[in-house]
Amino acid sequence: MAAAVAEGYDVVWLLLLFAAAGVFHHAGIKIPYFAFFAHDSGIRTTEPPKNMLVAMTLAAVACVVLGTFPAQTVYALLPWEHSYQPYDVTHVLTQLQLLFFSALAFVWLNLKNMYPPELPSTNLDADWFYRKLAPAVVKRVASTTYGAYVSVENSVILSVKRMVQNSYDAEAGEPKGYFAKLWPTETMVVWVAILLVVYLLFYYLH
């Protein structure tokens, strides 16, 4: 924003100013207010574990340190010289005005009941991929795979039943076909020959 003003891009600066006010109004006032001061949802939480407390403490300390001493912690990492001072009179007054008018807009809209009604729901962001998309894809793939498996299984069972029925004479009560006319030894020799041919084919093709 400071660079936009310095280069004479007043429209860009104004758009950035309104964008900052909207972000603060939504994320800095609206969400915390409705999260902590809205109606009681009945949810009772417990104290988080120590590792979460340590992580939140480190994040809070980092926010305070980086926000209070940006010149020593952040700007010192830049590969060029800088003269930007975030806590001069102009910047502080601009941000205070931004915060004040954003808060004033929130209070006025809240008193006029102009906010849309609350919708009890789960707000999805990037977790939409594993909350919605992944289960739908897995369910569709599993359903299709299971349907194909059942179809193949039924076809194989039906084929085996037909083969058994075609190889047995129900009226005579005995097997029929070529192998029924041979002795068991001859049948065994035929199957051994068939297996040998299959083995030779696999051997030469490999």
Side-chain angles (χ1 to χ4, degrees):
M1 293 175 65
V5 172
E7 295 297 328
Y9 296 104
D10 297 335
V11 177
V12 176
W13 175 81
L14 189 62
L15 292 176
L16 291 174
L17 185 65
F18 276 102
V23 170
F24 176 72
H25 173 266
H26 182 73
I29 300 178
K30 181 181 176 182
I31 292 179
Y33 176 82
F34 286 109
F36 294 101
F37 300 101
H39 69 277
D40 189 0
S41 61
I43 299 176
R44 297 294 180 266
T45 60
T46 58
E47 185 70 15
K50 292 183 179 180
N51 57 340
M52 293 181 65
L53 293 175
V54 172
M56 289 187 290
T57 302
L58 293 177
V61 171
C63 288
V64 173
V65 171
L66 294 177
T68 307
F69 306 101
Q72 290 78 7
T73 54
V74 179
Y75 298 151
L77 300 176
L78 295 175
W80 56 80
E81 296 294 332
H82 64 88
S83 60
Y84 182 76
Q85 296 295 331
Y87 294 111
D88 57 9
V89 177
T90 302
H91 293 144
V92 172
L93 289 179
T94 302
Q95 297 303 316
L96 286 178
Q97 293 175 0
L98 180 68
L99 301 181
F100 174 76
F101 284 106
S102 298
L104 183 62
F106 170 79
V107 173
W108 185 79
L109 292 173
N110 193 27
L111 292 176
K112 294 297 183 179
N113 295 322
M114 298 184 65
Y115 283 113
E118 181 182 0
L119 297 176
S121 61
T122 301
N123 295 325
L124 299 180
D125 191 7
D127 53 346
W128 176 86
F129 290 97
Y130 59 85
R131 284 179 178 264
K132 296 293 184 180
L133 181 61
V137 171
V138 171
K139 186 180 295 184
R140 178 63 61 87
V141 172
S143 177
T144 304
T145 305
Y146 180 74
Y149 170 77
V150 171
S151 178
V152 172
E153 183 183 20
N154 293 334
S155 299
V156 171
I157 293 175
L158 183 60
S159 300
V160 172
K161 287 183 178 179
R162 289 178 178 176
M163 185 178 64
V164 172
Q165 291 175 357
N166 294 331
S167 63
Y168 190 81
D169 191 351
E171 296 180 356
E174 60 183 12
K176 64 179 181 179
Y178 174 76
F179 291 106
K181 300 177 181 179
L182 302 176
W183 288 91
T185 304
E186 295 173 339
T187 304
M188 181 181 65
V189 172
V190 172
W191 283 114
V192 169
I194 293 175
L195 292 176
L196 179 61
V197 171
V198 173
Y199 173 78
L200 290 176
L201 289 175
F202 274 111
Y203 178 79
Y204 285 110
L205 291 177
H206 181 70

